[in-house]
Amino acid sequence: MDISRENFQADFFLRLSRRFESRTEMVSEIGEVLHVGRDAVYRRLRGDTALSAQELINLSRHYKIKLDDKSVDLPQMYYPAGHEARATNEKDYFLSLERQILRAKAIPGARVDYATPELPLFYELYSPTLLAYKIYLFGLTTWNFQKWNGKNFSMDLIDPEIYKIAERCMKVAHSFPTRELWSIDILDVTLRRIEHGVQTGYLNDSDLVAKMFREMEAIVQHMENMTRAGKRFIPGDDPTENSPDFRVYHNELSNTNSVIIVDSNLQSIVFSTLVTPNFLVTYDERVVTQMKLWFNNLLDKANVLSADSAKYTTTYFHNLRRKVGNTKQRIEVMNVR
């Protein structure tokens, strides 16, 4: 398959993938439209087999995708949490998040750059107590859920389906080669939320608080494990040669919002927080180019955290653990009083 035709086929499938909530659903439907088996569909998705002219026509007619106009299915910028589609419950948000992750995964050769001033949500997806507490706070603030007004935090408030969605999101999110940009304050927002909850009485269950700190300690340990291995992997697993690459950079220069750049030779997307945890999504080449330049500029002025910079890396994670310990001690003093 020549390069131009291969790129067109990959781009066509990328546009088509936005019609489905999962890759499995997409493969099943394409197989029915083309009257071929799953393996044959996967060969076409990977680019191992070229779509015939008739197959391309059949798919474009069935899904009403114009072959000469990418803009039909590819708005330059949109806001998934806009008024007409705002979350009415916590499950809405996470289903929307899962769709975005799956769309990014459908891009051939996708890799991720992530700059954030606070702990990435993806690290809390495998920490049920921290995740539930964050959802609770967003429900009281950003989402304005009336159902939680006047109620103290409890795990029972959260739809249990969230944890299944979170697990699926976590597995896909950990499958991308990733570069991340951290500051020494990366845990501060999460720690302040816990301390504030105890101070105000919203968080008045000492067992839940203890679980949060155990989860925080586990997150820091897993962050360090991935950083030293230079590989991204799910907690509880061991990295292998085939695990996606993971590179971490420490930079204290200004970064006030979270930005995720999904980059590939075919397509690039930028996700940027707007009224956290909501986000903007853009394919606009001007914005994407600016974001790439900005991210790489920050990396140029950053220090690498890795096994090769052992002393610097050890100091960095020691400081993270110290922050967790100091907050834990302050809360223990509050409870004694």
Side-chain angles (χ1 to χ4, degrees):
M1 188 189 300
D2 65 76
I3 297 299
S4 60
R5 184 170 182 177
E6 181 179 3
N7 286 344
F8 179 85
Q9 180 165 316
D11 180 70
F12 178 82
F13 280 131
L14 174 61
R15 295 159 61 199
L16 182 57
S17 71
R18 297 190 180 93
R19 306 291 184 87
F20 302 93
E21 293 192 359
S22 72
R23 192 172 178 86
T24 301
E25 180 187 355
M26 177 179 172
V27 169
S28 178
E29 281 207 18
I30 290 176
E32 291 180 6
V33 174
L34 299 183
H35 304 293
V36 298
R38 294 175 62 83
D39 289 343
V41 175
Y42 277 114
R43 287 197 297 272
R44 285 159 175 77
L45 290 175
R46 290 194 303 266
D48 297 339
T49 299
L51 285 169
S52 69
Q54 190 58 54
E55 287 176 335
L56 191 58
I57 291 170
N58 290 346
L59 288 172
S60 66
R61 285 177 176 172
H62 184 84
Y63 293 105
K64 297 181 173 59
I65 296 177
K66 294 183 179 180
L67 299 179
D68 59 348
D69 185 5
K70 295 182 182 181
S71 65
V72 171
D73 290 278
L74 200 61
Q76 291 299 294
M77 182 177 294
Y78 66 99
Y79 184 45
H83 180 76
E84 71 284 354
R86 66 172 182 241
T88 57
N89 58 67
E90 62 273 26
K91 186 176 175 181
D92 287 346
Y93 174 83
F94 280 89
L95 286 174
S96 175
L97 179 66
E98 182 179 29
R99 286 193 292 270
Q100 297 298 334
I101 294 173
L102 290 173
R103 285 168 182 166
K105 186 61 180 175
I107 301 174
R111 51 196 177 271
V112 170
D113 288 335
Y114 196 162
T116 176
E118 61 178 286
L119 186 65
L121 174 65
F122 298 115
Y123 294 144
E124 293 172 297
L125 292 178
Y126 46 81
S127 305
T129 317
L130 284 172
L131 179 62
Y133 185 53
K134 176 171 277 190
I135 293 169
Y136 166 78
L137 293 178
F138 288 146
L140 292 180
T141 56
T142 304
W143 299 328
N144 192 27
F145 291 166
Q146 298 301 311
K147 63 181 180 177
W148 293 340
N149 277 350
K151 295 183 178 180
N152 292 337
F153 172 66
S154 166
M155 298 291 286
D156 295 335
L157 298 177
I158 310 301
D159 186 337
E161 187 68 21
I162 291 296
Y163 306 111
K164 297 177 183 178
I165 302 171
E167 184 177 0
R168 297 197 300 265
C169 289
M170 175 188 67
K171 290 179 179 178
V172 179
H174 278 68
S175 68
F176 293 96
T178 306
R179 299 186 299 176
E180 292 194 358
L181 186 63
W182 300 346
S183 79
I184 196 59
D185 300 327
I186 194 169
L187 303 181
D188 287 13
V189 172
T190 302
L191 292 173
R192 284 199 303 269
R193 285 171 177 156
I194 296 173
E195 190 169 358
H196 181 265
V198 174
Q199 288 173 331
T200 58
Y202 281 116
L203 184 52
N204 61 359
D205 186 326
S206 59
D207 289 338
L208 288 179
V209 174
K211 286 181 182 178
M212 288 182 190
F213 279 108
R214 287 197 295 270
E215 289 177 1
M216 286 288 291
E217 290 161 357
I219 287 174
V220 173
Q221 185 60 58
H222 186 63
M223 290 166 66
E224 182 173 9
N225 292 344
M226 290 195 300
T227 298
R228 293 188 184 279
K231 294 290 185 178
R232 194 164 177 81
F233 54 95
I234 294 172
D237 288 353
D238 293 319
T240 68
E241 289 185 3
N242 295 324
S243 299
D245 290 339
F246 183 67
R247 299 290 180 265
V248 182
Y249 301 81
H250 172 215
N251 191 331
E252 294 300 326
L253 298 180
S254 177
N255 177 30
T256 57
N257 68 321
S258 296
V259 174
I260 299 175
I261 305 168
V262 179
D263 194 20
S264 77
N265 296 331
L266 174 65
Q267 176 72 64
S268 296
I269 313 171
V270 166
F271 300 84
S272 182
T273 52
L274 179 66
V275 192
T276 305
N278 300 330
F279 50 87
L280 281 172
V281 184
T282 180
Y283 302 85
D284 190 300
E285 291 184 6
R286 297 165 300 175
V287 176
V288 170
T289 299
Q290 181 62 39
M291 287 296 188
K292 288 181 182 179
L293 290 172
W294 169 79
F295 187 88
N296 287 321
N297 185 46
L298 288 177
L299 290 196
D300 288 341
K301 298 172 177 61
N303 295 306
V304 178
L305 297 175
S306 68
D308 293 333
S309 57
K311 185 175 180 180
Y312 189 86
T313 300
T314 297
T315 300
Y316 178 86
F317 284 101
H318 170 76
N319 288 332
L320 290 189
R321 291 187 174 93
R322 181 173 53 82
K323 284 174 175 282
V324 175
N326 288 345
T327 305
K328 187 177 180 180
Q329 286 181 352
R330 287 197 300 273
I331 289 176
E332 287 173 350
V333 170
M334 286 183 220
N335 289 336
V336 168
R337 291 176 181 175

